[in-house]
Amino acid sequence: MPAYSYKTLPTEGQAKTYRCKVVGDSAATLQVGRKPLKVFVRETSGGGFTLGLGPKLAKKIKSGKSYDLRYDGRRMQVIAETFVETVQGEARLQVGTIREYEPKERWAFRLPFTKGSRVIGHESGINSGAAYGGFVLVLFCVMSLPGVGDRLGTAPRIESALAMMSKNITDVVHAIRH
């Protein structure tokens, strides 16, 4: 069971619905169309959440429609159920959880001589082997540049290796043609 950064307290008079107030960081993002809206999670329950949002934002949300909610490192698909009483000018929306998405696998570039320290990290579905190969190719190209490569002493070696490879490829192509 994952540990979350928020704490809950039972709400008085709502023991039958098992709702708990959220204490602490309750900021969340509700994806409405292409635009992410900043909302606050005010209560949690077994089947959903109660969100607090501004009156202008409440006009953009339609009951019965599904949205994506990002809260506490999780991403969930929720359905807007009903608007309940407004508290201190903040509209309250009850949403039900349809499903929770699996977290995406994280990957990072690592250099062999840094003993595993992270250089660049991303969250994506891209194959990390391809990303590492691209990084090595960029590093190879930088080391072969005339200014950088001459100072490091790698430019002449890389140039001779490329000349030898091109000669071998040329020999193979001539052998195939004849």
Side-chain angles (χ1 to χ4, degrees):
M1 186 88 173
Y4 301 115
S5 64
Y6 60 88
K7 296 179 181 174
T8 58
L9 297 174
T11 304
E12 291 180 23
Q14 292 186 339
K16 292 180 182 176
T17 59
Y18 300 106
R19 293 197 173 275
C20 297
K21 285 186 181 178
V22 174
V23 178
D25 184 24
S26 66
T29 304
L30 189 67
Q31 191 75 30
V32 178
R34 291 185 178 178
K35 189 169 185 177
L37 303 177
K38 184 176 181 179
V39 296
F40 297 95
V41 177
R42 298 301 181 199
E43 295 177 338
T44 64
S45 70
F49 302 94
T50 301
L51 304 177
L53 56 150
K56 290 182 181 179
L57 299 177
K59 294 176 183 177
K60 297 180 181 183
I61 298 172
K62 296 185 178 19
S63 295
K65 194 169 178 189
S66 65
Y67 302 99
D68 280 351
L69 178 70
R70 292 183 183 269
Y71 177 56
D72 196 40
R74 301 183 298 168
R75 190 172 74 115
M76 297 158 275
Q77 184 180 17
V78 296
I79 187 164
E81 293 174 347
T82 59
F83 282 96
V84 292
E85 73 279 352
T86 303
V87 178
Q88 297 175 353
E90 180 182 67
R92 298 288 170 102
L93 171 68
Q94 288 184 344
V95 295
T97 305
I98 297 173
R99 69 179 173 152
E100 185 169 346
Y101 296 106
E102 291 292 324
K104 291 184 179 178
E105 186 177 318
R106 297 187 57 86
W107 58 271
F109 292 126
R110 298 188 195 291
L111 295 174
F113 52 83
T114 59
K115 300 208 183 211
S117 64
R118 178 173 281 180
V119 177
I120 300 171
H122 288 285
E123 186 174 308
S124 176
I126 189 169
N127 187 355
S128 62
Y132 183 74
F135 177 73
V136 169
L137 183 63
V138 168
L139 186 64
F140 180 79
C141 291
V142 168
M143 289 175 52
S144 65
L145 289 173
V148 177
D150 290 336
R151 285 193 177 169
L152 293 174
T154 56
R157 292 177 184 164
I158 292 173
E159 183 179 344
S160 66
L162 288 176
M164 183 175 54
M165 286 175 32
S166 66
K167 183 182 177 297
N168 289 342
I169 290 173
T170 305
D171 291 343
V172 168
V173 169
H174 284 301
I176 291 173
R177 283 188 176 176
H178 298 295

